[in-house]
Amino acid sequence: MSTVKIEIEDGEFREYETGITAGDVIRDIHGRKSGVVATLIDGIEKDMSTVLESNCKIEPIDGESDAGLYILRHSCAHLLAQAVTQLYPDAKPTIGPPIEHGFYYDFFMQPVGDEELKKIEEQMKEIMKKNLPIVREEHTNDSLRKMFGGNKFKTEIMDDKIGYEVGSTAYRQGEFVDLCRGPHVESTSQIRWFKLTSSSQAYWRADSKRESLTRIYGMCYATKEGLRNREKQIQEAAKRDHKKIGREMELYMIDEMIGKGLPVWLPNGEILKSSIEAFAIKTEEEYGYQRVTTPVLGKKQLFEASGHLPHYAEGMYPPMEMDDGIYYLKAMNCPMHHLIYRNKKRSYRDLPLRIAEYGTVYRNEMSGTLAGLLRVRMLSMNDAHIYCTLEQVAQEFANNIKMVQDYYSAFGFEDYYFRLSLWDSENTEKYIDQPENWEATQNHLRKILDDLGVSYIESIGEAAFYGPKVDIQFTTTIGREESMSTIQLDFAAKERFGLKYTDETGIENGEVFVIHRAPLSTHERFVAFLTEHWSGNFPTWLSPIQVQIITISEKHKKYAKMVSEKLLKSGIRVKIDDSDNTIGKKIRLHRKMRPAYMAIIGDEESENMTISVRARNGLQRNGIPLDEFVQEIEKEIHNRKTTLDIVPEE
RNA sequence: GCCUCAGUAGCUCAGCCCGGUAGAGCAUCUGAUUUGUAAUCAGACGGUCGGGGGUUCGACUCCCUCCUGGGGCUCCA
């Protein structure tokens, strides 16, 4: 009998009979209940059932590893499809990939509601219990076409992905079979820790002109703990939701009489917004920016010149017909800033010219996408445009990337990454049609990022219509990815607006590049992130209520008033609660507003001119002399500390 | 804009399946209480049950439609 030599660890070999499966080998080495879901054979992911015909190296893929979870979730998607087709025989499965935390599967079928989702989940559990083997089958193209001919979506996938001669594989579990490359787990009973989470509609191939499909989302883990932890994580995320905290802390409101996507900043939210602005104004003065204000609307000709109307019309509000022409609300400030640049003759000595504006722009986002402060129709922005030569672009980008990094550290943000957003040469109608310029500027940005040593990913089709950009990406607490900051290179404005300068030799030069940048996102989105990041427990310098005074009894009203006046005089945001509630109740009520500190005032404090300071974590420092407290909190605010330092955390 | 789920007092939620005309806790207000660290007691106020239409003797409840919100698609800061 022939044997194969299997490398089971670096340099360690064992011999088995030819024809043994990878699964048998792994069970031989790691035992039956190893949690291994598939295997790497010579570095390639394979099923456990793979028969070993020749010498090779075998490694286990653990169900809890990234690769293992991916396989498990993929198999879970098949389990879902099996359950759905059993319950709804007319449903046509399309695609069902694993995703972070789970999987989804798109079906051509009637939409399903929560109750149906429950039934489907129960059905999945039934199939799981049956312990059906999941079997890989190799098929010729003809046989695949026969098997899936009744499903035009599968046919379309085959047309696109499978060369006509080669054929491919399918995976079968019981009566259910799906076109799939694999690998998969060995049997349905291995998929235990899953839960269907939601259903929604999605278009086939994300194309709104194509069929609408029913998408079912689920989560899936290798262990009970994995699933539980994820459920807990989702609950925790819900507690941080800026919409919930925004309501509790009275940061903003949205009223349907005003309109959706049009948030109103309430006093507490306005404090956050204006604190951010004040910080940015100061920072950007140091970087040489000059502030301007431009109108919120402008004539059609302006937006035609800028390219907004051909390339960005669907993002703008419909036109307003006035007696002297057609006007649009501005979706961006750049066209107006270009006119400021052009307002006088510019010299090379003026460059780089940095024009900044605090203001609002208006974008006609589709109603279904609006969400709290994260996606709105009126955007408050710390916007600016830098006019410079090509040689100066690198330095300006470097400054802005540093500025973004400094801002983020001031606000305590650590978890973000850079993305180089490129045009899509396959889909050019979205962009200004100058392929050479796209290639040149993209390469230029790539080199700038490489020289700065910043790590980044590249993403095709994410550029602005006028040029490539560097975006800084975040993930929200509920796991959705959003752009925060953006730095964009515009090679088109110079021609469209005739931007020129007189160079050192007195010659007029038209090579003016424009950098569009918004390092603090929009105030709406920024405050949403800030709120979720801090769970509303903002650093003292941002906290809408920096000190909440709480009196023990009526006797202490007078001293409380004195303390409050002293703090107010030092520019500290302070409020008094001298109601006749018990102190425990007052603490409980004010927790919701998340003041940086609560100052407790009773007999001892009144007599000694002190206060007792309670931090948000419940720790307390008693008998701090009032003057000392004022000095300390002033310092904390001035230095924009991201930690509360007055009460030591022990 | 499309699909889906939801909408009951300022907030959190019960009642709806099986139609008989609305409830709780917190907040607010008024008393009493003067309090030392996550709910002092009592009372009052507060809702054309998201809007409109339909079915019915009768609709918070069933049906249709619109609006708003959550999730997803698309888009994007």
Side-chain angles (χ1 to χ4, degrees):
Chain A
M1 184 154 299
S2 65
T3 59
V4 285
K5 201 171 167 190
I6 308 295
E7 185 175 2
I8 55 172
E9 249 173 73
D10 285 334
E12 199 189 332
F13 294 87
R14 283 196 200 177
E15 281 196 26
Y16 293 94
E17 281 179 20
T18 305
I20 193 169
T21 66
D24 291 333
V25 172
I26 282 174
R27 276 185 284 273
D28 184 44
I29 301 162
H30 300 279
R32 294 219 149 253
K33 293 187 174 174
S34 57
V36 175
V37 292
T39 175
L40 281 178
I41 300 180
D42 291 333
I44 297 167
E45 288 184 8
K46 294 280 191 184
D47 295 297
M48 295 283 265
S49 59
T50 308
V51 173
L52 306 176
E53 306 281 5
S54 55
N55 297 350
C56 58
K57 180 177 184 181
I58 283 194
E59 295 162 83
I61 300 177
D62 189 87
E64 294 195 60
S65 67
D66 286 350
L69 278 171
Y70 193 89
I71 290 165
L72 193 65
R73 286 166 182 162
H74 193 182
S75 299
C76 198
H78 278 222
L79 181 62
L80 167 63
Q82 184 174 14
V84 167
T85 48
Q86 281 178 359
L87 293 171
Y88 308 90
D90 293 335
K92 299 265 182 270
T94 66
I95 53 163
I99 53 175
E100 207 186 356
H101 308 301
F103 57 92
Y104 68 82
Y105 210 115
D106 286 345
F107 301 93
F108 185 61
M109 67 184 293
Q110 287 305 301
V112 296
D114 285 352
E115 278 173 30
E116 287 147 305
L117 226 47
K118 255 179 233 156
K119 271 183 212 150
I120 296 168
E121 190 176 301
E122 275 160 30
Q123 185 74 9
M124 287 170 75
K125 295 209 164 121
E126 290 304 314
I127 301 169
M128 178 261 279
K129 284 181 202 151
K130 283 187 186 154
N131 194 15
L132 299 174
I134 299 173
V135 184
R136 175 188 167 92
E137 296 177 352
E138 299 204 9
H139 289 276
T140 63
N141 210 317
D142 284 338
S143 127
L144 285 178
R145 301 259 160 190
K146 229 173 261 171
M147 289 166 70
F148 297 105
N151 183 329
K152 65 173 175 172
F153 303 98
K154 296 285 181 194
T155 307
E156 200 174 316
I157 296 168
M158 290 189 280
D159 288 343
D160 279 8
K161 287 201 177 164
I162 303 172
Y164 205 77
E165 323 72 38
V166 288
S168 187
T169 56
Y171 280 78
R172 188 181 293 277
Q173 51 201 67
E175 84 299 336
F176 175 78
V177 60
D178 200 358
L179 176 71
C180 186
R181 239 185 6 217
H184 281 283
V185 300
E186 292 178 276
S187 86
T188 56
S189 65
Q190 281 175 278
I191 315 159
R192 289 195 68 184
W193 306 111
F194 61 86
K195 192 176 174 190
L196 296 185
T197 47
S198 63
S199 77
S200 68
Q201 296 296 111
Y203 298 110
W204 172 238
R205 308 229 144 152
D207 181 349
S208 59
K209 292 177 204 77
R210 302 293 307 267
E211 294 83 351
S212 183
L213 306 173
T214 296
R215 174 172 296 181
I216 298 176
Y217 283 91
M219 48 188 177
C220 178
Y221 284 83
T223 61
K224 193 177 184 174
E225 292 68 44
L227 184 64
R228 274 216 190 126
N229 288 341
R230 175 61 186 161
E231 284 174 312
K232 255 186 226 156
Q233 198 187 339
I234 291 170
Q235 281 169 13
E236 287 304 309
K239 284 186 203 158
R240 302 173 85 95
D241 187 335
H242 79 276
K243 296 188 286 299
K244 176 182 177 298
I245 294 175
R247 192 167 44 234
E248 284 178 358
M249 294 183 71
E250 297 175 14
L251 299 179
Y252 73 99
M253 58 174 250
I254 292 176
D255 192 295
E256 60 186 81
M257 274 186 94
I258 297 171
K260 44 181 172 178
L262 299 170
V264 173
W265 292 95
L266 297 173
N268 287 342
E270 183 61 29
I271 287 170
L272 281 171
K273 179 167 163 269
S274 55
S275 302
I276 294 165
E277 274 180 16
F279 177 38
I281 287 173
K282 187 170 169 294
T283 304
E284 287 168 22
E285 261 169 17
E286 288 164 15
Y287 274 92
Y289 286 76
Q290 306 176 63
R291 250 158 229 288
V292 298
T293 299
T294 63
V296 297
L297 38 71
K299 277 190 175 170
K300 185 179 175 191
Q301 291 86 319
L302 175 65
F303 299 110
E304 271 168 355
S306 67
H308 282 84
L309 284 177
H311 296 285
Y312 198 76
E314 76 287 357
M316 296 180 72
Y317 274 84
M320 284 170 271
E321 271 186 57
M322 318 259 275
D323 67 337
D324 67 338
I326 295 173
Y327 286 75
Y328 283 84
L329 274 171
K330 65 179 173 185
M332 297 180 192
N333 292 309
C334 31
M336 309 231 188
H337 290 186
H338 297 339
L339 295 183
I340 292 173
Y341 179 92
R342 222 173 57 177
N343 186 44
K344 69 178 203 183
K345 220 167 163 67
R346 302 290 176 179
S347 142
Y348 70 95
R349 295 176 202 273
D350 294 329
L351 306 186
L353 182 74
R354 307 180 188 91
I355 298 178
E357 173 161 5
Y358 256 116
T360 51
V361 297
Y362 301 80
R363 297 189 188 170
N364 187 13
E365 296 293 336
M366 284 186 288
S367 59
T369 67
L370 303 172
L373 290 177
L374 272 177
R375 174 150 289 113
V376 295
R377 282 177 167 167
M378 181 182 116
L379 300 73
S380 311
M381 273 214 283
N382 167 219
D383 197 13
H385 296 91
I386 301 166
Y387 299 82
C388 64
T389 65
L390 185 61
E391 295 72 50
Q392 291 167 334
V393 165
Q395 185 58 50
E396 293 303 310
F397 255 77
N399 288 350
N400 267 283
I401 284 170
K402 179 167 186 305
M403 195 189 291
V404 165
Q405 288 168 328
D406 287 350
Y407 277 139
Y408 287 5
S409 78
F411 290 102
F413 294 163
E414 282 156 8
D415 202 12
Y416 58 91
Y417 66 92
F418 290 85
R419 179 180 82 186
L420 178 57
S421 300
L422 309 169
W423 80 318
D424 182 355
S425 55
E426 311 267 297
N427 186 12
T428 52
E429 73 273 16
K430 271 171 73 180
Y431 307 99
I432 285 182
D433 185 21
Q434 299 178 2
E436 336 65 64
N437 279 332
W438 280 103
E439 293 307 323
T441 50
Q442 289 180 174
N443 289 334
H444 198 69
L445 289 195
R446 202 175 276 126
K447 182 165 184 307
I448 289 169
L449 287 171
D450 290 339
D451 288 349
L452 286 171
V454 173
S455 62
Y456 59 95
I457 62 157
E458 298 197 6
S459 192
I460 289 170
E462 297 287 350
F465 71 81
Y466 43 70
K469 53 183 185 164
V470 173
D471 293 317
I472 296 91
Q473 301 296 110
F474 269 72
T475 309
T476 67
T477 50
I478 53 168
R480 189 172 17 205
E481 191 190 294
E482 301 276 7
S483 289
M484 273 283 262
S485 309
T486 182
I487 312 169
Q488 316 176 340
L489 181 56
D490 182 344
F491 56 78
K494 56 182 191 281
E495 285 169 29
R496 291 182 164 268
F497 282 88
L499 305 179
K500 300 186 181 90
Y501 68 98
T502 308
D503 70 16
E504 295 90 326
T505 59
I507 293 169
E508 194 167 72
N509 189 322
E511 284 301 294
V512 178
F513 285 79
V514 180
I515 297 169
H516 306 238
R517 37 112 282 168
L520 293 173
S521 189
T522 63
H523 292 314
E524 290 77 15
R525 182 171 290 181
F526 198 81
V527 167
F529 270 101
L530 208 53
T531 304
E532 296 189 357
H533 179 79
W534 290 103
S535 244
N537 296 314
F538 298 107
T540 311
W541 73 278
L542 288 167
S543 195
I545 301 169
Q546 290 168 324
V547 179
Q548 174 66 54
I549 296 174
I550 290 174
T551 55
I552 302 267
S553 86
E554 248 171 35
K555 288 182 287 181
H556 313 113
K557 277 191 180 182
K558 206 170 155 196
Y559 180 60
K561 182 89 184 132
M562 202 209 103
V563 172
S564 152
E565 270 163 16
K566 184 159 173 78
L567 294 176
L568 279 173
K569 229 176 240 172
S570 305
I572 293 155
R573 297 186 287 267
V574 58
K575 291 206 166 157
I576 304 180
D577 183 350
D578 54 11
S579 66
D580 55 2
N581 282 323
T582 60
I583 179 163
K585 176 135 182 191
K586 288 195 230 184
I587 288 173
R588 190 184 167 82
L589 288 180
H590 289 291
R591 247 165 46 93
K592 178 177 86 146
M593 296 304 273
R594 298 164 171 86
Y597 297 105
M598 294 195 202
I600 313 283
I601 284 174
D603 285 343
E604 276 184 37
E605 288 80 7
S606 310
E607 280 157 27
N608 304 318
M609 291 284 283
T610 61
I611 57 174
S612 292
V613 177
R614 183 190 160 99
R616 286 188 287 234
N617 58 10
L619 291 174
Q620 191 160 325
R621 199 172 126 201
N622 292 335
I624 306 178
L626 188 51
D627 289 330
E628 189 183 323
F629 175 74
V630 172
Q631 271 178 25
E632 285 186 36
I633 196 168
E634 271 183 330
K635 206 164 79 189
E636 190 168 299
I637 293 166
H638 183 258
N639 294 333
R640 296 191 199 90
K641 299 285 286 189
T642 51
T643 48
L644 304 190
D645 291 342
I646 292 177
V647 179
E649 291 188 52
E650 283 163 358

